[in-house]
Amino acid sequence: MSNALSGKGRISAEMAERVRRRADEVGFRPSQAARALKTGRSGILGFVMPDLSNPLFPKLAQSVEIAATSAGYGVLIADSRGDVDEQTAAIERLRQRGVDGIVIVPHRGTRPKIQSLPAAVIHTPSDPLNTVSSDHAEGGRQAAQALIDLGHRDILILGGDRASEVQRDRIDGMVGVLGPVARHRKVWTTDGFPDIADLAAAGVTGVLTTSDLIALRVLGDAYQAGIKVPDDLSIIGFDDMPLATAVRPTLSTVAQDVGQIAEKAVTHLHSLINNEQSNAGGMVVPMTLTLRASTAAARHHQTGEPS
Amino acid sequence: MSNALSGKGRISAEMAERVRRRADEVGFRPSQAARALKTGRSGILGFVMPDLSNPLFPKLAQSVEIAATSAGYGVLIADSRGDVDEQTAAIERLRQRGVDGIVIVPHRGTRPKIQSLPAAVIHTPSDPLNTVSSDHAEGGRQAAQALIDLGHRDILILGGDRASEVQRDRIDGMVGVLGPVARHRKVWTTDGFPDIADLAAAGVTGVLTTSDLIALRVLGDAYQAGIKVPDDLSIIGFDDMPLATAVRPTLSTVAQDVGQIAEKAVTHLHSLINNEQSNAGGMVVPMTLTLRASTAAARHHQTGEPS
DNA sequence: TTTCATCGCTTAATCGATTAAGCAAAGCTG
DNA sequence: CAGCTTTGCTTAATCGATTAAGCGATGAAA
């Protein structure tokens, strides 16, 4: 009642001030529960990730939390534990808790069903449900182009899991660039980790991975095989995880602008919640390549093509 | 009202069943807002971390979410961005949202003020406010003892930030074991990263770090200096981050049982919220050392003491 | 000066689940 | 069989913020 002061209604400035002061004195805290009941708005967004151990999770959660907070929302998390059914259950749990909308990073290869609840899907541009995401294919292109520019012409593409659309898109981008100008082979680590020494002996001078974690493994294998990085082998990872700057040589990597993605997702949700016009979705955020010490100009083997 | 069915009151089994069925038919979803208003319980726990980019965060958040969900709570996250004032603000935000209690991992060197709100503090046994945590000193002891058992007698202890009580406790544990039996030097990376090659030349054969990330850096430096791990140098990290098994050689590390910590924290909170007796706090969860490929028996220098 | 519009504050209805109180019917005891 | 307890369903008050309606007083226009 006293809250007629909160902007609505016809109230004198003096009265508003008086109420405000008294409220402070008493330490008045409006009950979110009552407000939610009356307005039908909880002021809370749900955040669903397929697997909180996803390397991107910390940064993304942090960014979503910051974006949501500055838009006046709270963030309720729900882990879907890598399980598709759990993902559905997690969404349902959030709905029951009365969230106003949800931000979701879908489980690989999944089209989450979100009925009648504002949602922002963070995935990849090739997903028709995608609301906002990094341009993973473009990221793959950047990584590939960087190796090309350094003179590499025999390249290993190393993916983690072919069920991941994000990884497939990254690799498609890489292949798109390499296809016309360089030899390349594509391997998924789920089929077994390839023998780096063999490949290097066969002429490979560059490795493009879909994750820093895979890149780290390659680095280690190369080390144990006596292959020098970056002199004999250049490596590029993805996501700029904390380890990228901790490892020696430091890891070249393609990073997502997670802050911007979170910002756009939350803004979009906010519009949906308020029934405002919203850019129909499909926003794409560029990725940025950071070259560090794991990449260098290729030494020209006899196997290479003319530079 | 129909919810008299929910266990309370005097109701016939038949009536309860009838209501239940009808509720399912209509797709009845009780309003959390209304329930919260009436009962004064939101069914939501807040979770505050000093910095969501903390390497431990993903696992901990996941575990807290799982424990909370199975106890019927939702989890509202709040990032305090490494800032002490933000930590206070985050707690206040959660309170305003009406959380029933909060789980907090305090900012380094901070005693968070939580007035009249059930709280579970996850920190380290040496913190008087601590509710539940790993036995960091014991973890440090385990790591140190492992190197001793392998015959190492000249050891570098490498901490990240002396402001962190957790890291100090780990190191105190290490020193406690090494003190009587081995030579050791303590260095904080915030004072500059030490020259591994120099130290190895000076006789150091083992490195104990307070984090896998630091261990990774040591591994890389050793590699670049031509020092063989684990033949010439053994390394042990902390926290068993994903990188620990991705790097070659795989990293020996001391891990926290995050699941158990989360479980205990949530259980404790649940008791507090319901005014039940609660074990006054200070629960300690053991850590487990996992030996992998980054540790091996010491080669005996002439500088060493008799084995 | 009379009348009507406007302004500013006060009152009351509302959101939906909870829970105590109310009340009728059935069961029990003496 | 009367009186009393127990059982089971129904009714209504309550939580606290929101918001529309109500209502007295002031000011403007005719």
Side-chain angles (χ1 to χ4, degrees):
Chain A
M1 213 267 296
S2 36
N3 263 20
L5 75 95
S6 314
K8 303 301 184 67
R10 315 179 301 211
I11 240 109
S12 68
E14 187 233 352
M15 183 61 169
E17 180 52 33
R18 228 178 75 212
V19 173
R20 209 162 324 223
R21 204 159 36 218
R22 181 89 187 104
D24 276 356
E25 279 175 40
V26 188
F28 174 73
R29 300 167 188 293
S31 146
Q32 286 293 326
R35 174 173 291 153
L37 176 58
K38 179 60 185 168
T39 63
R41 294 276 163 81
S42 60
I44 292 181
L45 301 181
F47 179 48
V48 185
M49 277 209 78
D51 185 359
L52 298 194
S53 64
N54 182 315
L56 194 57
F57 170 65
K59 278 175 162 182
L60 194 51
Q62 182 170 44
S63 302
V64 167
E65 199 270 342
I66 292 174
T69 298
S70 79
Y73 290 99
V75 178
L76 204 50
I77 59 171
D79 178 11
S80 54
R81 285 162 234 180
D83 184 329
V84 183
D85 291 337
E86 252 302 319
Q87 173 174 283
T88 311
I91 294 173
E92 180 55 25
R93 251 181 281 138
L94 290 176
R95 182 206 303 287
Q96 296 224 1
R97 293 227 174 259
V99 299
D100 292 339
I102 78 178
V103 176
I104 179 168
V105 180
H107 185 262
R108 21 197 79 166
T110 300
R111 296 276 121 77
K113 281 264 185 300
I114 302 135
Q115 322 121 351
S116 63
L117 192 66
V121 178
I122 299 179
H123 197 194
T124 180
S126 70
D127 181 343
L129 291 181
N130 186 59
T131 304
V132 54
S133 66
S134 294
D135 191 342
H136 295 285
E138 172 61 22
R141 266 175 247 131
Q142 285 186 46
Q145 190 61 51
L147 287 193
I148 292 295
D149 291 349
L150 286 168
H152 296 270
R153 292 297 181 273
D154 194 338
I155 293 173
L156 168 66
I157 297 177
L158 200 45
D161 181 352
R162 80 181 84 227
S164 158
E165 301 182 29
V166 166
Q167 294 191 42
R168 287 209 306 269
D169 286 347
R170 288 175 178 176
I171 287 180
D172 286 350
M174 295 170 186
V175 171
V177 167
L178 298 183
V181 298
R183 186 160 169 223
H184 62 272
R185 12 196 148 195
K186 189 174 8 169
V187 177
W188 297 96
T189 62
T190 41
D191 300 334
F193 207 91
D195 187 316
I196 301 299
D198 282 359
L199 288 165
V204 168
T205 64
V207 182
L208 294 172
T209 70
T210 55
S211 147
D212 283 351
L213 230 36
I214 298 175
L216 179 63
R217 169 73 190 271
V218 173
L219 210 57
D221 282 1
Y223 161 53
Q224 294 197 323
I227 300 166
K228 295 249 179 298
V229 175
D231 303 340
D232 300 329
L233 194 67
S234 286
I235 304 176
I236 300 185
F238 255 90
D239 284 342
D240 201 10
M241 295 166 54
L243 70 88
T245 52
V247 74
R248 296 295 112 130
T250 54
L251 195 58
S252 296
T253 190
V254 182
Q256 306 194 41
D257 186 342
V258 182
Q260 201 181 138
I261 291 178
E263 184 72 42
K264 290 195 164 158
V266 170
T267 304
H268 178 247
L269 263 187
H270 188 66
S271 303
L272 281 183
I273 292 170
N274 298 319
N275 280 320
E276 291 165 12
Q277 286 291 40
S278 178
N279 24 10
M283 289 176 283
V284 171
V285 176
M287 299 188 82
T288 57
L289 169 68
T290 303
L291 288 178
R292 298 205 179 94
S294 67
T295 41
R299 277 194 189 154
H300 288 293
H301 293 77
Q302 43 281 48
T303 59
E305 296 166 28
S307 65
Chain B
M1 213 273 294
S2 36
N3 263 19
L5 75 94
S6 315
K8 304 301 183 70
R10 314 181 299 210
I11 243 113
S12 67
E14 188 232 353
M15 182 62 169
E17 181 52 34
R18 229 177 77 212
V19 173
R20 209 165 322 225
R21 205 161 32 218
R22 181 92 187 101
D24 278 357
E25 278 174 41
V26 187
F28 176 72
R29 299 165 188 293
S31 147
Q32 287 293 327
R35 174 173 291 152
L37 176 58
K38 178 59 184 171
T39 63
R41 295 274 163 83
S42 61
I44 292 181
L45 302 181
F47 180 48
V48 185
M49 279 209 74
D51 185 359
L52 297 194
S53 64
N54 182 314
L56 195 59
F57 169 65
K59 277 176 162 182
L60 193 51
Q62 183 171 44
S63 301
V64 168
E65 199 269 343
I66 291 174
T69 299
S70 78
Y73 290 98
V75 177
L76 205 49
I77 59 172
D79 178 10
S80 55
R81 285 161 236 181
D83 183 331
V84 183
D85 292 337
E86 253 302 320
Q87 173 173 283
T88 311
I91 294 174
E92 180 56 26
R93 252 180 280 138
L94 289 175
R95 183 205 303 286
Q96 296 225 0
R97 294 225 174 259
V99 298
D100 293 338
I102 79 177
V103 176
I104 179 168
V105 180
H107 186 261
R108 20 197 80 165
T110 301
R111 296 275 123 79
K113 281 265 186 298
I114 302 138
Q115 322 120 349
S116 63
L117 193 65
V121 178
I122 299 179
H123 197 194
T124 180
S126 69
D127 180 343
L129 291 180
N130 186 60
T131 304
V132 53
S133 67
S134 293
D135 192 342
H136 296 285
E138 171 60 24
R141 265 176 249 132
Q142 285 186 46
Q145 191 60 52
L147 288 192
I148 293 295
D149 291 348
L150 286 168
H152 296 270
R153 291 296 180 275
D154 194 338
I155 293 173
L156 168 67
I157 296 176
L158 199 45
D161 181 352
R162 81 182 82 225
S164 158
E165 300 182 30
V166 166
Q167 294 190 41
R168 286 208 307 267
D169 287 345
R170 288 174 179 177
I171 287 178
D172 287 349
M174 294 170 188
V175 171
V177 168
L178 297 183
V181 297
R183 187 163 169 221
H184 61 272
R185 12 194 148 197
K186 191 172 8 170
V187 177
W188 297 96
T189 62
T190 42
D191 301 335
F193 207 91
D195 187 315
I196 301 300
D198 282 359
L199 288 165
V204 168
T205 64
V207 182
L208 295 173
T209 70
T210 55
S211 146
D212 284 350
L213 231 36
I214 298 175
L216 179 63
R217 169 71 191 274
V218 173
L219 210 56
D221 282 1
Y223 161 52
Q224 294 197 324
I227 300 167
K228 295 249 180 296
V229 176
D231 304 341
D232 299 330
L233 194 68
S234 285
I235 305 175
I236 300 185
F238 254 90
D239 285 342
D240 200 12
M241 295 166 54
L243 69 87
T245 52
V247 73
R248 296 296 110 131
T250 53
L251 195 58
S252 296
T253 190
V254 181
Q256 306 194 39
D257 187 342
V258 182
Q260 200 181 140
I261 292 178
E263 185 72 41
K264 291 196 164 156
V266 170
T267 305
H268 178 247
L269 263 187
H270 188 67
S271 304
L272 281 184
I273 291 171
N274 298 319
N275 280 319
E276 291 165 13
Q277 285 292 40
S278 179
N279 23 10
M283 289 174 284
V284 171
V285 175
M287 300 188 82
T288 57
L289 169 67
T290 302
L291 288 178
R292 298 205 180 93
S294 68
T295 41
R299 276 195 188 152
H300 286 293
H301 293 77
Q302 44 280 47
T303 59
E305 295 165 28
S307 66

